[in-house]
Amino acid sequence: MDPLPSILRISWPMITFIEYHFCAHIPPSWLEKTHKRLQETGVGYILNAEQYYAVRIFSTIVAFGLTVFSMQMLGSFSPMILVFLTLLGNFYPQLWLSEVRSRREKDILKTLPVYLDFITLAVEAGLNLTGAIKQAMDKGPPGPLRNEFQMVTRDLRAGVPRSDALRRMDTRLNM
């Protein structure tokens, strides 16, 4: 798994507690759909589906607590603001996930021509497709597409057929 962002790293013990105690009751269909969405956004190597739901629960609790604390400090109480900010805390991880996905799509579309050129040149120079992908990965710019090619080469080294490794990449990049 990849390293966690700093905000998640700080709150990770509480998130794992919530995951262990509350996320075991989430329906498998929801978990499967969330897992697919996490894989498409490239966050699947940071969080699994249960951890994502734990993050949502944690952010809802934090938003509720901060809203109540702020209202106490200001000396006023508004149920509408409390409900709105608590719901915003619940939906913040979804907003973050969609923003990460759009940023990732832009990065992939920006670097795709470079990688296609490297792979084409390497195949024309006599390398096979696996060697061309490794060469493109070594020479290409860093970013999510390089990470995807690293996963493909990792799968190929593990013995996965090339067509299956590329198909997995296609499902992860399904834009």
Side-chain angles (χ1 to χ4, degrees), residues 111-125 127-153 156 166 169:
T111 58
L112 183 62
V114 174
Y115 279 97
L116 288 177
D117 285 342
F118 282 142
I119 291 171
T120 304
L121 290 172
V123 168
E124 287 176 353
L127 290 175
N128 64 5
L129 184 60
T130 305
I133 289 173
K134 288 174 77 173
Q135 186 71 21
M137 193 178 62
D138 292 339
K139 304 292 183 189
L145 195 55
R146 175 187 263 179
N147 296 341
E148 291 296 329
F149 281 127
Q150 285 175 343
M151 286 184 255
V152 167
T153 57
L156 292 174
L166 292 172
M169 179 180 164

Side-chain angles (χ1 to χ4, degrees), residues 8 58 79 85 89 94 136 155:
L8 283 180
F58 180 75
L85 291 178
Q94 286 182 326
D155 288 346

Side-chain angles (χ1 to χ4, degrees), residues 19-172:
E19 174 195 5
Y20 180 77
H21 289 289
F22 299 108
C23 294
H25 308 293
I26 296 174
S29 61
W30 289 13
L31 293 175
E32 187 175 320
K33 189 171 75 171
T34 302
H35 176 72
K36 184 178 178 183
R37 194 170 63 218
L38 290 172
Q39 290 298 322
E40 289 173 353
T41 57
V43 184
Y45 289 95
I46 297 175
L47 298 170
N48 61 31
E50 292 90 354
Q51 292 166 342
Y52 173 74
Y53 280 109
V55 167
R56 286 188 66 185
I57 292 169
F58 180 75
S59 68
T60 303
I61 292 169
V62 167
F64 177 80
L66 287 176
T67 305
V68 169
F69 177 75
S70 299
M71 287 181 180
Q72 290 282 335
M73 295 302 288
L74 292 174
S76 66
F77 183 77
S78 172
M80 293 299 291
I81 292 175
L82 179 65
V83 169
F84 174 74
L85 291 178
T86 303
L87 286 175
L88 182 66
N90 185 21
F91 289 113
Y92 178 74
Q94 286 182 326
L95 297 172
W96 172 77
L97 203 59
S98 66
E99 189 264 328
V100 166
R101 181 179 182 159
S102 66
R103 187 173 354 121
R104 181 172 189 243
E105 287 175 359
K106 287 178 188 174
D107 289 345
I108 287 172
L109 291 175
K110 188 168 84 173
T111 58
L112 183 62
V114 174
Y115 279 97
L116 288 177
D117 285 342
F118 282 142
I119 291 171
T120 304
L121 290 172
V123 168
E124 287 176 353
L127 290 175
N128 64 5
L129 184 60
T130 305
I133 289 173
K134 288 174 77 173
Q135 186 71 21
M137 193 178 62
D138 292 339
K139 304 292 183 189
L145 195 55
R146 175 187 263 179
N147 296 341
E148 291 296 329
F149 281 127
Q150 285 175 343
M151 286 184 255
V152 167
T153 57
R154 188 181 322 154
D155 288 346
L156 292 174
R157 277 183 270 147
V160 175
R162 184 182 314 142
S163 61
D164 290 343
L166 292 172
R167 195 170 294 120
R168 286 182 189 174
M169 179 180 164
D170 181 48
T171 58
R172 286 190 303 264

